[in-house]
Amino acid sequence: MTTNTEPKLKEELEKGLSKTSNDSPAKGPKITISLGKDIEFISETKPDKKPSEGQTIVAYTAKEKGDPFSITLNDLMATLDTSMADLLPSGLKDKSIKFKNLMVIYRKEQKTSKGEWLFVLDLDIATKIKLKSLPVVGDLISDEVGKEELVPSLRLVVASKAFSIKEIRVLNDKIPNKPDKKEEKLIPPMPVPKEKGSQESEDKLSVRKGFSFSGQLGLADAAKILSLPVSPQAEGEKEVLAPGGAKETVTNSNLAVWFDIDKTFGPFSLKQIGFQYEEKANNPEIGIVIDAALKIAGLTLACDDLGVGIALEDLNPSFKISGIGIEYKNSIIEISGALLRADKEKNGIKYTEYLGLARLKFDLAGKSFGVSAIGAYAYYDGEPSLFLYAVLDVTIVVDPSFIITGFALGFGYNRYLKVPSIDKLLDFPLVAEAVKPTDKKFSDDNELITKKLGEMDKYMPISIGSGFVAIGLKFTCFQMLDCFALLTVALGDDFEINLLGIAKMKIPTPAKDSKDTSCIANMTMLLRARFSLSEGVISIEGQLASDCYLLSPDCRLTGGFAVCLWVSGPHAGDFVITLGGYHPLFTKPAHYPTVPRLGFQWKVGDCLSLKGEMYFALCAHAIMAGGRLEANFKLGTLWANFVAEAHFLISWKPYYYEILVQIRIQAGFGILGPVTLGVQLHLWGPEFAGTATFRIIFVKVTMEFGDQSSRLPEPIDWESFQSSFLPPAKSTAQGSSTGADVCSVVVNQGVTKQLSPATTKEVAFVVNPKELELVVNSAIPSKKASYQKNTQDTEPLPVRNANTDFGVRSMGIKKEQFDSSYNIKITRKTKAGNSQPVARNQFQFIPITQDVPTALWGDAKVKVVKVKGQDSERILLPEANDQQFVENTLSGFRIVPQIKEDVCSTNIIDVEKLQHDTTAINEVYAWQKTTAFSRVSTDNEARTTAIKNNIVSANTQKKRNNLLESLGFNLADDVKLTDSVANSFVTAPQVKA
């Protein structure tokens, strides 16, 4: 016996080969390695038949009973090859795993060649895995089928290299036979196709280099070999052949493999079986998952990810199920539903979520009704989170031209609703459930149902403190237009309202249940109106869906429109109106919507295709419009194309336009061509001018007409700028030097009462000084600001980091030529009626900044050109991708009263004086007898007379006057009290006698 204490198994296997004769098998040495506990291998050497010089030694443990081996794979692999540890998944490196038997096959093709080896380790699974043990369906499976073991054996295979099918056959042949059963191997061989194939098929890989799990499916008539590589695939390594044979259907994914079974065992139907490896919190687990269904009478029970997980730490199986679907159908009612359980993690918090959907169809009083619903529930971070959405299909005839076909209602608690962009609206679950519910049966396509349920988290994620409501209506107009409208309101960190609409129309409308669905026009219009408080945007978007066509399904229609206005936030003041998108050279800002071209694409037969498109857009600094028509013809080697397009860029104040129109025809035949004929017309104005370019084959001619210098516009004057871009003067704007109401003052907070109408010259308010906030603003951005201390002196106000790099572009004023100052003056009226300046330190002045259009306040780009022999200053045209806004310019201030520091202080009180004292103190107080209350009279009139007499009595007046004078009142002017106040009582109070 050879004892290896270091341990080095590879060296002992090499020694065993070196002591073997070249022509006959022989018993090898016993090899013992110590990995915390001695592991004893029996070895046999198997030389190849001559003329081959290959030699193989097989070392195995022959342990049938007793305690299993508990081995750490990292340590075991070090006995053969330390580099193999790099191929171990992280969860397996330091885990101690129990094995029943171990076998290593070590082979050399020649004495001097490098050794190749295959290590097989049989896992010691604690409990037999039977179909009867499966959750939900186990009790419904017959005893005959249920007693079958799902996986009788499971093993870990480690390979020093990638072995082909042919090489595995050679290694299997070297495994010793059982002494009493010569045709049965002592250790189960590696799986290969039963019948030998062609040379090409035999050279395909069977085992990948590194670590793999392998098992045998024990079901009758479905004996499949399960094999799952868990090491990373080596670069350049071929694909692994489907285990067990080339005809099997296998789907491989990351650390998972699926086998198609399609077998029926009585009412139990097995579609697929999966073999997967995963690491949960560094705890490795092998999963055997089945896709199965159970049919009994009219009830169908479908299971998703039903199976067993085997934790490698203790090899104890745990049965699980991820999803379940139920169907029941008879002549009266049809019920179907699905439930999915998913373990998730968010912000480091693990939780379990349950998602479900259900459908119900029934007939009542000759009418058909249907209800479908989707929902989810989770308990996350100590809070419940759920949503529910249901659609009721019912027909209500309001008018022959307007028929209601359904209602939708939903809500979410601790869920936020994410409405997708308009192009993905049909995939939005709240819309899809109403417009195009899946016709797939749960039992037939539970994978699709699982995917649908899993995607709900993308649209309705958990958000503590958020919520939403949704209400919808399905209706038909004139029996031609099928519509669905959905209103959603989302609350939480943001407040967002969406109105979604879908309208479908087919002309002619196909008859109900008709197999002929052909039509000359098929239209689906998507609509989305949106308001978002956080983004400060109001938008309306419309778009044709991808299924729209006219005359023929080959003539596809596209198009959309959008109207967006930003009223607050970082893009406040911006807007865009577009029909069909933007200029081809325009780089769309990220916050602008994506809008497809208005157009068509028509493939007319096999030779001709037509395409047309057009667009219009209006944004802060320009108008864009254009279109394109294209035709392509190809017949064999003969080809031709035609292109006609026009693009317009128009700006205003200064008004300017630029138009580019071109037409091009090209043709060719084989190697001849292309032959080109084209014309390009370039126009600009408002002083009409341009160029015309002609292309005839290889000849190009350009003609100029009009005043070429007029291509650049002249700056506008102040009067034009003022009347076009500044607010008009109001009747209350007295003494305005600009003739425009440029500045505004608003009492933003603190108003308790308005004393005069807003239309008067001076508006008076009563305000709360603690809450008072004034907002002053200007239509003209300022570069500096000051406070008017008195009639002559000013004091600068801080403007923080306000942008001062701006001019007046349309007037040709550059940033260094332009100066604007914001001056604030606050006065108070004295008792004499005079205005007295208020000291600056009485208020805080907080700058307000905003983005302003570059077309108005951008730095002017000016060029001096010759016009009719004279120098003339002209404005360079804005580029399509010019910056649209001058950011962070000073527009005004928030003015709030200065917070005064509290100069008072409280005297220090010894804490001992505030402590509770249980010592009794005698004679601290004494009870006194009081005279009982005696009233003047029970008569109301007598009580009123008594009050009148008391008010005007000399004694009462003296006491009252002394009190008022001590409070600072002027007795002659401020207080006048007569006996008439007694008459104000409806019922006089009781008066002491």
Side-chain angles (χ1 to χ4, degrees):
M1 177 188 297
T2 301
T3 301
N4 183 11
T5 58
E6 289 191 8
K8 293 183 179 179
L9 181 58
K10 185 176 181 181
E11 285 78 351
E12 300 302 329
L13 295 172
E14 289 274 5
K15 290 178 184 179
L17 282 180
S18 64
K19 295 178 181 179
T20 304
S21 62
N22 294 330
D23 53 359
S24 62
K27 287 285 184 180
K30 288 187 176 181
I31 303 171
T32 302
I33 61 174
S34 181
L35 296 174
K37 184 179 180 181
D38 290 348
I39 301 175
E40 187 178 274
F41 289 89
I42 300 171
S43 68
E44 293 187 25
T45 56
K46 294 284 188 81
D48 292 354
K49 293 181 180 180
K50 291 191 175 182
S52 172
E53 298 182 5
Q55 288 185 322
T56 305
I57 182 170
V58 182
Y60 56 91
T61 60
K63 193 171 185 179
E64 295 184 1
K65 295 182 179 180
D67 295 333
F69 301 108
S70 185
I71 303 173
T72 302
L73 289 176
N74 212 16
D75 297 337
L76 180 61
M77 290 302 103
T79 67
L80 279 168
D81 187 350
T82 55
S83 66
M84 292 300 294
D86 297 334
L87 299 178
L88 262 173
S90 59
L92 292 177
K93 286 188 176 182
D94 300 320
K95 291 291 181 183
S96 181
I97 302 175
K98 295 177 181 179
F99 299 100
K100 290 188 294 186
N101 279 306
L102 293 81
M103 176 181 68
V104 59
I105 307 175
Y106 189 85
R107 176 175 173 78
K108 281 188 173 183
E109 293 294 336
Q110 296 180 349
K111 290 185 178 181
T112 58
S113 63
K114 183 179 178 181
E116 303 166 352
W117 52 266
L118 192 72
F119 214 136
V120 179
L121 304 95
D122 291 331
L123 296 170
D124 185 38
I125 301 176
T127 307
K128 291 184 178 181
I129 306 170
K130 297 183 179 181
L131 287 177
K132 269 289 186 182
S133 304
L134 294 175
V136 182
V137 299
D139 294 337
L140 302 175
I141 299 174
S142 65
D143 293 338
E144 183 179 354
V145 177
K147 69 180 181 180
E148 298 287 346
E149 284 193 62
L150 195 59
V151 182
S153 64
L154 197 60
R155 57 173 41 167
L156 177 66
V157 178
V158 191
S160 64
K161 65 160 220 162
F163 288 92
S164 67
I165 295 176
K166 180 179 179 181
E167 292 171 323
I168 292 295
R169 290 188 192 276
V170 172
L171 296 181
N172 284 343
D173 187 56
K174 304 300 181 183
I175 299 174
N177 296 327
K178 288 185 176 181
D180 53 341
K181 297 180 180 180
K182 297 297 183 180
E183 295 182 357
E184 187 175 346
K185 295 293 182 181
L186 188 63
I187 305 293
M190 293 297 298
V192 289
K194 294 180 179 180
E195 298 181 1
K196 287 188 178 180
S198 62
Q199 182 66 34
E200 182 181 358
S201 63
E202 289 291 300
D203 288 337
K204 291 183 177 180
L205 292 187
S206 178
V207 178
R208 186 187 291 174
K209 178 181 178 180
F211 296 80
S212 304
F213 286 99
S214 178
Q216 175 80 38
L217 186 63
L219 298 178
D221 300 327
K224 300 289 183 180
I225 302 297
L226 310 178
S227 181
L228 176 65
V230 294
S231 292
Q233 187 171 348
E235 188 175 351
E237 188 174 272
K238 301 176 184 177
E239 288 294 326
V240 179
L241 178 71
K247 295 182 179 179
E248 294 183 9
T249 303
V250 179
T251 304
N252 290 280
S253 61
N254 186 26
L255 300 184
V257 60
W258 283 88
F259 302 85
D260 284 346
I261 304 296
D262 288 329
K263 296 288 184 179
T264 300
F265 307 93
F268 183 68
S269 175
L270 181 60
K271 298 179 182 179
Q272 286 183 311
I273 186 164
F275 197 26
Q276 63 185 20
Y277 171 82
E278 59 182 338
E279 295 180 3
K280 297 180 178 179
N282 207 31
N283 293 322
E285 181 180 287
I286 302 171
I288 302 166
V289 186
I290 65 176
D291 181 4
L294 194 68
K295 295 185 179 181
I296 302 175
L299 176 68
T300 300
L301 184 67
C303 301
D304 183 63
D305 284 353
L306 169 69
V308 59
I310 305 172
L312 295 180
E313 189 168 14
D314 54 12
L315 293 177
N316 280 320
S318 59
F319 297 92
K320 61 182 182 179
I321 183 171
S322 296
I324 185 170
I326 300 175
E327 290 182 6
Y328 178 76
K329 183 177 182 180
N330 60 26
S331 58
I332 301 174
I333 192 170
E334 181 177 340
I335 305 173
S336 57
L339 179 67
L340 176 68
R341 177 184 182 274
D343 294 324
K344 299 182 179 182
E345 183 175 347
K346 181 177 181 179
N347 299 328
I349 301 174
K350 294 182 179 180
Y351 65 98
T352 300
E353 185 173 39
Y354 298 89
L355 304 103
L357 58 88
R359 287 199 296 269
L360 171 66
K361 293 182 180 179
F362 60 93
D363 293 331
L364 183 65
K367 292 185 178 182
S368 178
F369 295 86
V371 180
S372 61
I374 56 176
Y377 173 82
Y379 194 77
Y380 172 80
D381 196 19
E383 293 282 347
S385 173
L386 63 113
F387 77 84
L388 181 64
Y389 179 74
V391 178
L392 171 65
D393 292 322
V394 61
T395 301
I396 301 175
V397 180
V398 180
D399 185 85
S401 62
F402 183 81
I403 301 174
I404 296 175
T405 57
F407 300 92
L409 184 65
F411 74 95
Y413 174 72
N414 282 334
R415 296 269 177 168
Y416 186 73
L417 183 65
K418 292 183 177 179
V419 179
S421 57
I422 191 169
D423 57 314
K424 299 177 182 178
L425 204 57
L426 289 174
D427 297 327
F428 185 42
L430 304 191
V431 172
E433 191 66 20
V435 175
K436 54 171 188 178
T438 177
D439 293 328
K440 293 283 186 179
K441 293 183 178 179
F442 295 107
S443 57
D444 294 340
D445 204 343
N446 54 340
E447 183 178 350
L448 176 65
I449 302 300
T450 301
K451 181 181 178 182
K452 180 179 178 180
L453 289 172
E455 287 182 345
M456 290 187 192
D457 200 38
K458 180 171 66 175
Y459 300 103
M460 286 155 282
I462 292 176
S463 177
I464 303 300
S466 299
F468 71 86
V469 293
I471 183 169
L473 179 68
K474 294 171 64 176
F475 56 93
T476 299
C477 295
F478 301 100
Q479 295 291 326
M480 295 178 61
L481 197 62
D482 294 325
C483 304
F484 175 64
L486 180 68
L487 177 67
T488 69
V489 180
L491 308 169
D493 294 336
D494 185 19
F495 175 74
E496 183 172 316
I497 301 175
N498 282 274
L499 177 60
L500 312 177
I502 311 290
K504 294 185 176 183
M505 181 178 66
K506 288 187 177 182
I507 302 176
T509 305
K512 187 176 182 180
D513 300 327
S514 174
K515 295 182 179 179
D516 184 12
T517 59
S518 60
C519 55
I520 62 171
N522 183 69
M523 298 291 177
T524 301
M525 171 64 80
L526 312 177
L527 180 70
R528 181 190 185 191
R530 174 174 177 255
F531 168 71
S532 172
L533 190 61
S534 64
E535 298 179 27
V537 63
I538 302 172
S539 64
I540 302 175
E541 297 177 71
Q543 185 172 311
L544 292 177
S546 58
D547 62 347
C548 296
Y549 65 84
L550 186 65
L551 300 179
S552 165
D554 294 325
C555 182
R556 293 288 171 176
L557 302 181
T558 62
F561 71 88
V563 179
C564 301
L565 174 65
W566 285 266
V567 295
S568 64
H571 308 297
D574 196 4
F575 72 93
V576 64
I577 302 172
T578 177
L579 189 67
Y582 311 92
H583 194 284
L585 300 178
F586 179 72
T587 300
K588 181 183 73 68
H591 61 286
Y592 276 21
T594 299
V595 180
R597 288 278 193 264
L598 292 175
F600 69 92
Q601 297 183 36
W602 192 358
K603 185 174 175 57
V604 187
D606 297 330
C607 302
L608 179 63
S609 63
L610 303 174
K611 181 179 180 181
E613 58 185 32
M614 61 183 299
Y615 66 91
F616 167 83
L618 170 65
C619 58
H621 72 287
I623 295 178
M624 294 162 276
R628 177 183 174 93
L629 179 63
E630 181 179 344
N632 290 278
F633 174 83
K634 186 173 183 180
L635 180 62
T637 58
L638 176 65
W639 63 272
N641 64 53
F642 166 81
V643 175
E645 61 181 330
H647 301 284
F648 302 81
L649 177 63
I650 306 171
S651 63
W652 55 95
K653 299 296 179 180
Y655 170 64
Y656 173 79
Y657 65 86
E658 184 171 358
I659 303 172
L660 180 65
V661 181
Q662 66 175 356
I663 300 175
R664 185 186 70 246
I665 301 174
Q666 287 184 309
F669 182 75
I671 61 173
L672 301 177
V675 177
T676 304
L677 178 64
V679 60
Q680 176 180 292
L681 182 63
H682 189 187
L683 305 175
W684 58 84
E687 298 179 19
F688 184 76
T691 62
T693 302
F694 301 91
R695 296 175 184 268
I696 304 175
I697 308 178
F698 304 111
V699 180
K700 176 182 176 182
V701 179
T702 299
M703 298 175 55
E704 298 179 348
F705 52 89
D707 186 356
Q708 297 296 304
S709 63
S710 67
R711 184 172 181 178
L712 300 177
E714 289 184 291
I716 63 174
D717 56 21
W718 169 249
E719 285 73 18
S720 298
F721 181 88
Q722 175 184 307
S723 60
S724 300
F725 302 117
L726 297 181
K730 295 181 181 178
S731 58
T732 57
Q734 301 296 323
S736 174
S737 60
T738 63
D741 192 21
V742 174
C743 299
S744 62
V745 181
V746 177
V747 184
N748 199 38
Q749 293 182 31
V751 176
T752 60
K753 187 177 182 181
Q754 184 169 330
L755 301 178
S756 58
T759 55
T760 58
K761 180 179 177 181
E762 293 183 356
V763 185
F765 300 94
V766 176
V767 298
N768 182 341
K770 290 184 178 181
E771 300 177 358
L772 176 63
E773 179 181 284
L774 301 174
V775 174
V776 294
N777 219 323
S778 171
I780 300 176
S782 303
K783 293 190 175 183
K784 55 187 178 182
S786 61
Y787 183 76
Q788 194 75 34
K789 296 171 61 177
N790 48 53
T791 56
Q792 297 179 346
D793 301 325
T794 60
E795 181 179 352
L797 292 175
V799 296
R800 294 183 183 175
N801 298 319
N803 186 2
T804 58
D805 292 336
F806 57 89
V808 187
R809 172 172 288 186
S810 56
M811 293 182 63
I813 300 175
K814 298 180 180 180
K815 60 183 180 181
E816 59 270 14
Q817 298 173 327
F818 182 68
D819 187 26
S820 58
S821 178
Y822 204 106
N823 183 264
I824 298 175
K825 181 181 178 181
I826 300 177
T827 61
R828 67 161 51 95
K829 283 191 175 183
T830 64
K831 291 185 177 181
N834 300 322
S835 295
Q836 178 183 340
V838 177
R840 180 189 178 281
N841 59 10
Q842 296 294 309
F843 291 92
Q844 296 182 60
F845 297 87
I846 305 167
I848 298 174
T849 60
Q850 68 176 21
D851 299 345
V852 294
T854 304
L856 293 181
W857 305 108
D859 185 21
K861 299 177 181 179
V862 179
K863 182 180 181 180
V864 178
V865 298
K866 291 286 186 181
V867 179
K868 299 179 180 180
Q870 300 291 327
D871 288 343
S872 178
E873 201 174 65
R874 298 297 176 105
I875 300 176
L876 294 177
L877 301 176
E879 299 293 335
N881 297 319
D882 270 358
Q883 184 176 354
Q884 296 188 8
F885 289 87
V886 182
E887 299 177 350
N888 200 38
T889 64
L890 179 65
S891 64
F893 288 88
R894 288 175 51 233
I895 305 175
V896 295
Q898 187 70 261
I899 300 175
K900 295 183 179 181
E901 296 183 2
D902 189 0
V903 296
C904 299
S905 60
T906 304
N907 292 331
I908 297 175
I909 302 175
D910 190 350
V911 69
E912 292 183 357
K913 296 181 178 180
L914 302 177
Q915 292 178 348
H916 176 63
D917 191 354
T918 58
T919 303
I921 303 176
N922 297 323
E923 298 181 358
V924 175
Y925 55 86
W927 295 107
Q928 293 180 349
K929 292 184 178 181
T930 59
T931 305
F933 177 80
S934 175
R935 58 191 177 188
V936 171
S937 173
T938 58
D939 182 60
N940 183 65
E941 185 176 350
R943 293 198 302 272
T944 303
T945 302
I947 293 173
K948 287 182 179 180
N949 295 336
N950 186 270
I951 288 175
V952 297
S953 69
N955 186 38
T956 302
Q957 286 184 350
K958 181 180 179 180
K959 292 180 179 180
R960 182 168 59 243
N961 292 341
N962 291 337
L963 176 62
L964 293 173
E965 286 178 347
S966 64
L967 294 175
F969 286 93
N970 186 343
L971 297 180
D973 300 327
D974 296 337
V975 180
K976 292 182 180 180
L977 189 62
T978 65
D979 59 359
S980 61
V981 297
N983 297 325
S984 300
F985 296 114
V986 176
T987 301
Q990 294 291 343
V991 180
K992 185 177 179 181

